[in-house]
Every structure is written in C-alpha cells, then in structure tokens.
Amino acid sequence: MKVLLLGGTSESRQLAVAVAGVPGIELITSLAGRVAEPAPVSGHTRIGGFGGADALAQWIRDNAVDALVDATHPFAATITAHADYAARSTGVAHLVLTRPPWIASTDDQWTTVASLPEAAASIEPGSRVFLTIGRQGVHHFAGVADAWFLIRSIDPPTGAVPPRATVELGRGPFDLAHESAILADNRIDVLVTKNSGGNMTRAKLDAARSASIPVLMVSRPTVDTSASTVDEVDAAARWLIERLRVTP
C-alpha cells in the first residue's frame, strides 16, 4: 500500500517512524519546503508543493497512491482543503491527523483573536512583544511602529518586519527555564502566538502564566473536510494498518 503523508510536523515524523517497519506500507512524506533545513524524516521524502488541488490529485493518480494522510500544521488551511478535494476526486482513503489545540487554564491571561491582523491591531503602544507565529506572518505586524518585537522563527521572516525588532532564530522544543529567561531578559509585556497545540512549543505559555504575562492567542482557521480525523499518532498508525488489511 502506497501512502502519501503530507508532513512538516512532529506528529508526521512520529507517524513515519511508527509505520517504518510495517511490511506492505510504502510511505512517502511530502514537505512543503518552507523550512531551509527540515528535521529528518524516516523513509522516502519529496520536497515542494504540488501546484494546487488538481495537481495534487493528478500526482496521486500518477503515483498510484492508495491512502492520503494530512498531518500538516493546524494553520495550513490551504493544503488541507486541497487534500480533501484531491482525496474526493481520486477516491483514495483519507485521514487528517491534527494535534489538539491548547486550552487556557484559569491562571492564563489569554485574549483570543481571529487573525494575525487582529492580533497586530490589539498590541498596546509601548509594548515589548514576544512574537512566535513563524516567519510567514510577520509582515502583518510591520506597521506597528510604537512597540518593540522579539521575533522568533526557524528561518528569517519573509517580507517586511516591524521597525523596532530583533529576530532570534531557533527550533523547538524549548523548556520552561529557557522560555522564562527569554521573557525576563527581554522584559516582555505580551506574548503573541498561534494556537498550534502540541508540546514542542508549549513551554512559552507556561512561562507566560508563571510571569503573569498576557497572551494574544490566534485561533485556528476552520477547514471543512470529509476525512476521518484523529489527534494521536497511534490512532493514525492503526488507521493505516487497517487500510493495509483491506488493500488487495
């Protein structure tokens, strides 16, 4: 059974490891290529986009794919929509593996916003901001001239950046001590992040809670999909094994 795994997340890498030794499963992990040096992945990989929903469907046909697993980032709404279309067009089995979102505790000081532009508009003048949204959305904050930003991303931001900003490159996971030091050393007033979920970058939220620092939390986009959805790697592996049993 040939499986196309749309990856780029820690869960996708864990799934690749989980099924690497299963006889009869040929797994190809597709990475969008948005990170210059992606983390290693078990098995076969391809780098780069497909060129749209129809092109993805054609790739599935041309490569005789039997099952499609979407384990992309929770904010990768476009590829999730393309995957849903391609799976329905080709009739292949389709699963979405997505990590649960973070949930605020009673001690958290979160303000939930619907988008990055809304987050930018919510920043108070004079604030010192820890911006941890990845490199692609930083341009939404370029017009905020009356605040200082510490911008953390794996690769340098694309597009414009705020006029008063320092860029720090880094790849998680980050522990609580590290994140607490970041907040204290930079006198951070507010943390801005996306509700990506997962444990790799959660420590910044724990550090903000401990320091009573407010958080601007950007909600996930909503994408309608006809696929089955799971939120655990083990469940995705079991789903693939079940497909293997019924594939001629």
Side-chain angles (χ1 to χ4, degrees):
M1 180 179 68
K2 184 176 289 188
V3 179
L4 176 61
L5 172 61
L6 304 178
T9 59
S10 58
E11 289 81 9
S12 68
R13 295 190 292 274
Q14 293 165 17
L15 180 58
V17 170
V19 301
V22 178
I25 293 182
E26 178 186 352
L27 187 72
I28 303 170
T29 298
S30 178
L31 303 175
R34 291 174 179 167
V35 176
E37 296 183 8
V41 179
S42 297
H44 303 293
T45 59
R46 68 173 300 277
I47 306 293
F50 292 92
D54 286 319
L56 173 56
Q58 191 59 51
W59 197 95
I60 289 172
R61 296 187 189 97
D62 292 344
N63 291 274
V65 170
D66 300 295
L68 174 64
V69 179
D70 176 6
T72 55
H73 193 275
F75 280 78
T78 298
I79 187 60
T80 294
H82 288 179
D84 184 75
Y85 170 86
R88 288 186 286 105
S89 298
T90 59
V92 300
H94 181 203
L95 180 75
V96 174
L97 168 59
T98 186
R99 66 184 73 140
W102 292 315
I103 304 296
S105 72
T106 55
D107 295 328
D108 284 311
Q109 301 178 43
W110 292 9
T111 298
T112 300
V113 294
S115 65
L116 292 175
E118 185 177 343
S122 301
I123 293 173
E124 297 289 339
S127 295
R128 295 179 65 84
V129 184
F130 188 22
L131 187 61
T132 63
I133 59 167
R135 67 188 178 99
Q136 291 187 298
V138 174
H139 65 278
H140 291 293
F141 298 82
V144 183
D146 51 5
W148 177 86
F149 290 82
L150 175 63
I151 302 170
R152 184 170 69 194
S153 57
I154 297 175
D155 293 320
T158 55
V161 300
R164 300 172 58 208
T166 296
V167 176
E168 179 180 282
L169 302 183
R171 185 197 300 269
F174 305 102
D175 61 25
L176 179 60
H178 178 274
E179 299 297 69
S180 295
I182 288 284
L183 297 179
D185 293 348
N186 293 279
R187 307 190 312 280
I188 296 300
D189 300 309
V190 60
L191 166 65
V192 180
T193 193
K194 297 176 178 178
N195 197 336
S196 302
N199 294 321
M200 286 191 67
T201 58
R202 182 183 177 84
K204 63 191 174 189
L205 300 175
D206 299 332
R209 183 192 311 117
S210 297
S212 297
I213 291 174
V215 176
L216 285 175
M217 182 67 71
V218 182
S219 298
R220 295 181 177 187
T222 300
V223 182
D224 293 328
T225 178
S226 57
S228 300
T229 301
V230 297
D231 59 13
E232 295 181 350
V233 172
D234 288 348
R238 288 195 299 271
W239 183 89
L240 282 174
I241 292 171
E242 287 299 318
R243 303 286 81 69
L244 176 64
R245 290 172 181 168
V246 300
T247 299

